[in-house]
Amino acid sequence: MNEDKASLETDNLVNEENSEISNNVPLDNAGQEITGEAPTADPLTAAKAEIAELKDKYLRLYADFENFRRRTAKEKLEMISGASADTVKLILPIVDDFERAKVSFDSSTDIEALKEGVDLIYTKLYKALESKGLKAMQSKGADFDAEIHESIAQFPAPSEDLKGKVIDEIEKGYYLNDKVIRYAKVIVGA
């Protein structure tokens, strides 16, 4: 009888294995069905991982921006320095002319020749600055414009047509590439 019972239990075991195979659903050690889904991750852990990833992206983006900002600031300084060097190179020959003129002031007695030399140097300097975009304002006789003129005084106009116009120019105004770099100091007719 014990033999019959043992064979019956063995048959049941084989039948269970066969039913498991026939259903194609694996069972775990507790006899529960094993599904193909991975166990669900803890939402807190997933959120922390996502935050860490976003923080890393942010830090990299911030570092890239800082590098860009530094690089453009350096390039801007180099550009300004290069422009300044170019202008100084343009003016150096004129400085040399002034030095030669100073030497000739001590040794020469011909005042007309000295005046002519200074005029030539002035013309050379003005032409060099014009080549860089400098242009003088023509203010005398023009209507007063607060955008380009600085009124330092008002005098009674000598004639009726000069009221509200520039009577005299104390200090010239200048444009650099059509932008005012120095306002003209003028006297306006009242």
Side-chain angles (χ1 to χ4, degrees):
M1 197 164 159
N2 283 342
E3 287 177 18
D4 288 334
K5 229 180 196 183
S7 75
L8 187 59
E9 284 177 15
T10 308
D11 288 340
N12 285 341
L13 235 159
V14 172
N15 286 342
E16 282 180 18
E17 286 175 5
N18 288 339
S19 69
E20 193 176 284
I21 293 170
S22 65
N23 291 339
N24 289 332
V25 179
L27 298 176
D28 63 4
N29 291 339
Q32 301 292 327
E33 288 184 8
I34 300 175
T35 59
E37 299 174 10
T40 56
D42 183 24
L44 182 61
T45 307
K48 284 182 180 179
E50 185 178 356
I51 288 172
E53 180 182 340
L54 292 174
K55 191 182 231 183
D56 182 56
K57 284 182 183 180
Y58 168 75
L59 289 174
R60 289 177 189 276
L61 183 64
Y62 184 76
D64 285 345
F65 176 73
E66 283 297 313
N67 290 338
F68 169 76
R69 190 179 58 77
R70 285 187 193 117
R71 185 175 55 249
T72 54
K74 182 180 176 186
E75 289 171 357
K76 187 176 180 182
L77 285 175
E78 288 173 358
M79 187 171 64
I80 290 170
S81 174
S84 298
D86 187 39
T87 303
V88 169
K89 285 179 187 176
L90 183 70
I91 294 177
L92 281 177
I94 300 165
V95 170
D96 294 337
D97 289 345
F98 272 120
E99 288 174 352
R100 284 190 285 273
K102 281 177 59 178
V103 169
S104 69
F105 285 153
D106 295 335
S107 62
S108 178
T109 57
D110 186 11
I111 294 189
E112 288 302 315
L114 293 176
K115 285 182 180 178
E116 186 179 328
V118 170
D119 285 342
L120 288 173
I121 294 171
Y122 169 78
T123 304
K124 187 176 183 180
L125 175 63
Y126 195 76
K127 296 271 185 209
L129 293 174
E130 275 184 334
S131 73
K132 290 296 179 182
L134 186 74
K135 183 177 143 189
M137 289 181 193
Q138 299 301 324
S139 298
K140 198 167 183 179
D143 289 333
F144 176 75
D145 183 0
E147 297 290 323
I148 60 173
H149 299 129
E150 182 181 334
S151 174
I152 58 170
Q154 283 188 339
F155 285 129
S159 63
E160 201 59 36
D161 62 326
L162 289 178
K163 282 190 176 184
K165 294 191 181 213
V166 176
I167 297 174
D168 196 13
E169 187 175 49
I170 304 300
E171 195 174 82
K172 274 188 173 184
Y174 289 96
Y175 297 105
L176 183 62
N177 299 324
D178 297 324
K179 181 182 176 192
V180 177
I181 60 167
R182 186 170 88 176
Y183 298 97
K185 293 183 178 174
V186 297
I187 297 174
V188 181

